[in-house]
Amino acid sequence: MEFLSEYASFLAKTLTLVVAIVVVLVAVAATRGRGRRASGQLQVQKLNDFYKDLRERLEQSVLSKEQLKATRKAEAKAAKQDKKAPPGKPRVFVLDFDGDIKASATDNLRHEVTALLSMAKAEDEVVLRLESGGGMVHSYGLASSQLVRIRDAGIPLTVCVDKVAASGGYMMACIGQKILSAPFAILGSIGVVAQLPNVHRLLKKHEIDFEVLTAGEYKRTLTVFGENTEKGREKFQEDLETTHELFKGFVARYRPQLDIDAIATGEVWLGMAAQERLLVDELKTSDQYLAERAAEAELFHLHFAQKKSLQERVGLAASMALDRFVLTWLSRLNQQRFW
C-alpha cells in the first residue's frame, strides 16, 4: 500500500509538471502571436511529376536492364519532340475540399480560387475533388460561391466525388459543368433539417424558471429551455421550407436537366443510381480522371496552407488523437457485425 501511495504521488507530480510546461508554452506562444495576423502560403505540386515518379519506380522493379534502357531512350526521344512542339499545352488546376459541418475548408478554398483565377484561361480546367456530407447552410453557401467565381470566369469546372457529396456537399457539386462519381459514392440529400432538444418540462418539474425575452415577434421561435408554442413551430417550419425552396432553385439553376421535384426529397443515392437520375454525368474515380488528363495536360495541385499557432497545433493534436480513438472503436464495433 505504501508503494502504491508513493507511486500515485509520483504520477500526480509528473502530471502537474507536464501540465505546467504546456501552460507556459501556450502562454509564450500567445504572447508572441498577439497582434500578429494569421498568414499562410500557397503550395503547388505538379502532378505529372508525381505520376511519372510512380511509373518509373514500378518500371525499375519490373523491367530488365535492357528493357529499362530502351524505355528511357524512348522517353528521352519523346521529350525531345515535345520541346520542339509549339507551347500551349492545357493546364488543369486540382483543388481539394474535405468538408466538415462548418465547411471550414472554405478558408483555404477562397485563397486557392483567387490564385488560380489570376492566371487560368478558358482553355484550362479546374478539377475539384469534393468530399462532404453537408452542414450549415450559410457556410456551404459561401463555399459554393467560391466555385461560382470559377464558373463565372468562363473556366471549365469538373467536380469529382469519390465518397460523398450530400446536402451542402451537393450544393457545391452541382456548380460543376461536369460531375464525376465513383460507383458507390453517396449523392443527393437535397433537403433541410434542424433539430434541437427541449428541457422545459424537466425544468418545470424541478420548479426552475427560464425566461426568454425578445424584441420582435419571431426573434425566437423554438428554444432549448423555454416553452415552445405551436405558432413558433409553424414559423420555424416555414423558415425550413423557404430554405429548401432556395436550395432547390440553386440546384436547378446549375443542373437544369434534373427533375428537381423528384430528387429534392432529402433522399440519397449511390453513384450508379445517381447517374440514372442525372445527379452525376459519368461514373469515374478522381484517380482515373486525373491520370487520363495527365497524358494530355499539365496538372497542378493547389493547396493553401494556413500557419497554425502553438495553441492550434496542440488543440489539433488532441483532437486528432480523440478522433482516432473514437474511429478505432467504432470500426471495431462495426466489424463485429460481420464476423
Side-chain angles (χ1 to χ4, degrees):
M1 291 298 294
E2 183 180 353
F3 169 75
L4 292 177
S5 177
E6 292 179 355
Y7 185 65
S9 177
F10 169 76
L11 287 179
K13 292 177 181 178
T14 303
L15 180 61
T16 301
L17 179 61
V18 171
V19 171
I21 293 174
V22 171
V23 169
V24 171
L25 290 175
V26 170
V28 171
T31 303
R32 292 180 59 187
R34 188 173 296 135
R36 189 182 301 171
R37 294 182 60 186
S39 60
Q41 62 179 0
L42 184 68
Q43 300 174 348
V44 182
Q45 177 189 15
K46 190 171 183 180
L47 293 181
N48 302 71
D49 296 336
F50 172 75
Y51 292 128
K52 180 181 178 182
D53 183 62
L54 289 178
R55 187 186 70 250
E56 289 181 348
R57 286 179 180 274
L58 180 61
E59 289 173 343
Q60 290 174 0
S61 300
V62 174
L63 300 180
S64 65
K65 290 184 178 181
E66 293 75 15
Q67 291 174 322
L68 188 60
K69 184 177 180 180
T71 300
R72 294 289 179 265
K73 186 176 181 180
E75 289 174 351
K77 184 177 180 180
K80 190 175 181 180
Q81 292 295 326
D82 287 340
K83 289 182 179 180
K84 293 181 179 179
K89 205 172 186 181
R91 294 171 298 197
V92 177
F93 299 97
V94 182
L95 309 178
D96 289 312
F97 189 94
D98 188 1
D100 56 18
I101 194 170
K102 297 187 297 181
S104 303
T106 306
D107 292 339
N108 293 340
L109 179 65
R110 64 202 312 175
H111 296 305
E112 293 160 3
V113 171
T114 298
L116 70 88
L117 288 180
S118 67
M119 66 177 301
K121 300 178 181 178
E123 59 267 24
D124 297 327
E125 179 187 9
V126 177
V127 174
L128 175 70
R129 294 185 291 197
L130 171 66
E131 304 295 342
S132 175
M136 297 177 179
V137 175
H138 60 281
S139 298
Y140 276 90
L142 177 59
S144 300
S145 298
Q146 302 304 321
L147 302 183
V148 171
R149 293 172 60 194
I150 299 173
R151 185 153 175 167
D152 287 348
I155 301 168
L157 172 63
T158 300
V159 177
C160 296
V161 182
D162 290 329
K163 295 179 181 177
V164 59
S167 194
Y170 193 78
M171 179 189 287
M172 296 179 65
C174 73
I175 299 169
Q177 285 98 335
K178 184 166 55 177
I179 303 177
L180 308 181
S181 165
F184 287 92
I186 298 172
L187 300 105
S189 190
I190 303 174
V192 184
V193 62
Q195 55 189 355
L196 73 163
N198 182 265
V199 297
H200 173 71
R201 286 187 294 177
L202 178 64
L203 296 177
K204 187 176 181 180
K205 179 180 178 181
H206 293 279
E207 298 182 344
I208 300 174
D209 293 328
F210 184 86
E211 299 291 340
V212 180
L213 305 178
T214 63
E217 184 177 5
Y218 295 116
K219 181 61 179 178
R220 282 290 181 271
T221 51
L222 298 184
T223 70
V224 175
F225 300 104
E227 183 177 5
N228 292 323
T229 65
E230 193 59 36
K231 187 176 182 180
R233 292 188 186 92
E234 291 176 358
K235 176 58 178 174
F236 197 90
Q237 183 63 43
E238 180 184 329
D239 292 341
L240 290 182
E241 296 292 347
T242 299
T243 303
H244 187 213
E245 289 300 318
L246 291 173
F247 190 179
K248 289 167 60 177
F250 186 85
V251 174
R253 175 182 177 184
Y254 292 101
R255 298 286 292 184
Q257 64 269 46
L258 289 173
D259 182 350
I260 193 65
D261 290 323
I263 57 94
T265 59
E267 297 174 82
V268 295
W269 294 274
L270 297 180
M272 293 180 286
Q275 186 184 32
E276 295 174 0
R277 291 166 175 79
L278 305 181
L279 287 161
V280 300
D281 300 300
E282 189 176 349
L283 297 180
K284 184 178 292 187
T285 66
S286 62
D287 307 282
Q288 181 181 353
Y289 183 70
L290 291 177
E292 292 171 355
R293 293 293 282 131
E296 56 194 15
E298 292 183 314
L299 274 60
F300 299 94
H301 178 243
L302 275 59
H303 173 64
F304 188 84
Q306 297 277 3
K307 292 183 179 179
K308 297 185 182 299
S309 65
L310 177 61
Q311 304 100 305
E312 291 173 326
R313 292 198 296 269
V314 170
L316 182 61
S319 176
M320 291 177 64
L322 180 60
D323 286 347
R324 284 196 297 268
F325 175 78
V326 173
L327 288 174
T328 297
W329 279 102
L330 285 176
S331 177
R332 290 178 180 176
L333 290 172
N334 188 53
Q335 288 174 1
Q336 289 177 359
R337 297 168 56 194
F338 303 98
W339 286 354

